[in-house]
Amino acid sequence: MIFENKYIQQRIEKANALKDAGYNPYANDSQRNTTIEKYLNVNSDVVEMENKRDENRHYIVSGRIKFLRIMGKASFVKIEDESGMLQIYVTRDNLHEGFYNTMFKKNIEVGDIIEVGGFPFVTGQGELSLHVDSFKLLTKAISPLPEKFHGVTDKEIRYRKRYLDLIMNADVRKTFQTRSRVISLTRRFFEDKGFLEVETPMMHPIAGGANAKPFVTHHNALGVDRYLRIAPELYLKRLIVGGFEAVFEINRNFRNEGMDATHNPEFTSIEFYWAYKTYKDLIEITKEYFQYLFEHLDLPTLFPYGDLEINFDNFQEIPLIKSLTTIGGVPADITKDKEKIIAYLNEKGITVKPGMNLGQLQGELFDEFVEEKLIDPTFITEYPVEISPLARRSDEHPEITERFELFIAGREIANAFSELNDPIDQLSRFEGQMAAKENGDDEAHEMDSDFVEALSYGMAPTAGQGIGIDRLVMLLTNEHSIRDVLLFPAMKPVSQEINEEDEEN
RNA sequence: GUCUUGUUAGCUCAGCUGGUAGAGCACGUCACUUUUAAUGAUGUGGCCGAUGGUUCGAAUCCAUCACAGGACACCA
């Protein structure tokens, strides 16, 4: 049923024809001795040679056929491996008797993975190629590839069948190579600073560390529900209590929320915690981190992103309340008065949920009038305590916390603060969150008394930060949808699959 | 969750105010030993996303559903 398509049938027949003639269409004994990139580099001098060839050299390369131009008794074929694309020249007279006409021309086609041996030469058009003297099919593709020029552009196909997207679109491969580099560099940066990489649970008894709806699963042996973690924060801080002074974790978080261009239900973040430091140290290390990334990725610090130009040499720092007036244009006299803020928001056509406190309303003003205007990297500091349940209060101004968020191109990239380490204060913050939950805020924090107990043994003054890796990669690869930096973004199942599930139930 | 746009051949897309479906690539056959999205000739290929409705007649109009894109809402 799955292979009923006539093109697939045709290709299966070709695979069978090869098999009948003694050629395994899924051969396993690859003899490849170089990659295409290396071949092109090593033989670049052939261009300078008088007869444009060196028959004393011999290489075996492998790859997928992307273009196939048969011209009678000779053919030009473009094959591609992970490192690059190579043109090979296949002729009847350089292969053993009959193979070219009865096998190559009849049964080999675009999409097949082949292995060829031969010597380097340069064509009349000046392209360094491989003159083939041995030819072997490694893998027969029985499904045809998408069209060679336009490739596959349908986003649904690109996300659901990412392998096709990767076969057809070199720039997509590049994006994911960059993503891998970013994660690798991030790991190296923090290791070089003396941070210890740790792994904490993905299944939590309490969904803590952030405000979000969790996914729920069930542990049969224990007979209890578990939550896929929404953040690793509370576990990492337990490790600081335990005496590790600098830890980080790069891993997935899961949030049961809506999906859009910047949200996927599972996403990757780095969180790091640093004892005997404050959020001011985090500002410095964050600047250093970006510098490190740009240097090692060889990116310009005057960075084009869509229609924007971001200056990564221009890190700004501004307190939240101040940003409301200087950037958001909100009158200074209203930013510290609940009723005036509500009136102002209403005047702008924005309705607010009843019962919001001053800090939440200030956050609302920020989201409405400031966030999208922050293009160059900007640390917004001094967050209200009401919307920062895990952050340490400022010693001088107890209504604000020692916290910042980093915004770039109008999007939040990082969230950081000096950690709350007073167990009594932490307990009362949790109680405040419980009260909010009673009032219908279903995303308020859960009480985590085990965590409070951990704090009660004493956590050194610590600063901690989370950075959204997906959004960071979006920036660095100039992508504008999180799906384009996730190899397999979340998709609804096609209706057929839903029906099958229904039948089982 | 709301609004909006889309879904036609393996892929990329046409198809006007309703009259039984079209191109390019790919694929089959033929020709071709220096091509670059090779070329020339010729041919095959479709439940027009699904289900209903209007109509003598629906890819086209209407409704519902499914999936996708975009915007908004929610959310760090």
Side-chain angles (χ1 to χ4, degrees), chain A residues 376-387:
Chain A
D376 284 349
T378 306
F379 298 99
I380 297 293
T381 61
E382 300 183 8
Y383 272 69
V385 69
E386 299 96 317
I387 55 174

Side-chain angles (χ1 to χ4, degrees), chain A residues 277-285 317 402 404 418 463:
Chain A
K277 301 289 181 182
T278 72
Y279 80 108
K280 287 189 184 299
D281 299 300
L282 297 179
I283 288 179
E284 292 315 307
I285 201 175
E317 191 180 322
E402 290 198 4
F404 71 79
S418 304

Side-chain angles (χ1 to χ4, degrees), chain A residues 267-303:
Chain A
F267 65 99
T268 300
S269 70
I270 174 172
E271 286 203 11
F272 60 97
Y273 290 82
W274 207 7
Y276 309 108
K277 301 289 181 182
T278 72
Y279 80 108
K280 287 189 184 299
D281 299 300
L282 297 179
I283 288 179
E284 292 315 307
I285 201 175
T286 302
K287 289 180 185 170
E288 207 181 314
Y289 169 66
F290 272 90
Q291 203 176 14
Y292 182 87
L293 286 180
F294 272 73
E295 195 180 308
H296 286 83
L297 294 169
D298 201 22
L299 297 173
T301 51
L302 210 56
F303 190 79

Side-chain angles (χ1 to χ4, degrees), chain A residues 18 88 117 149 190 226 254 293 310 346 356 388 415 423 452 481:
Chain A
L18 284 156
I88 64 172
F149 187 58
F190 284 98
R226 294 275 106 136
F254 305 86
L293 286 180
I310 304 167
N346 287 341
M356 284 181 106
S388 312
N415 179 22
V452 175
S481 169

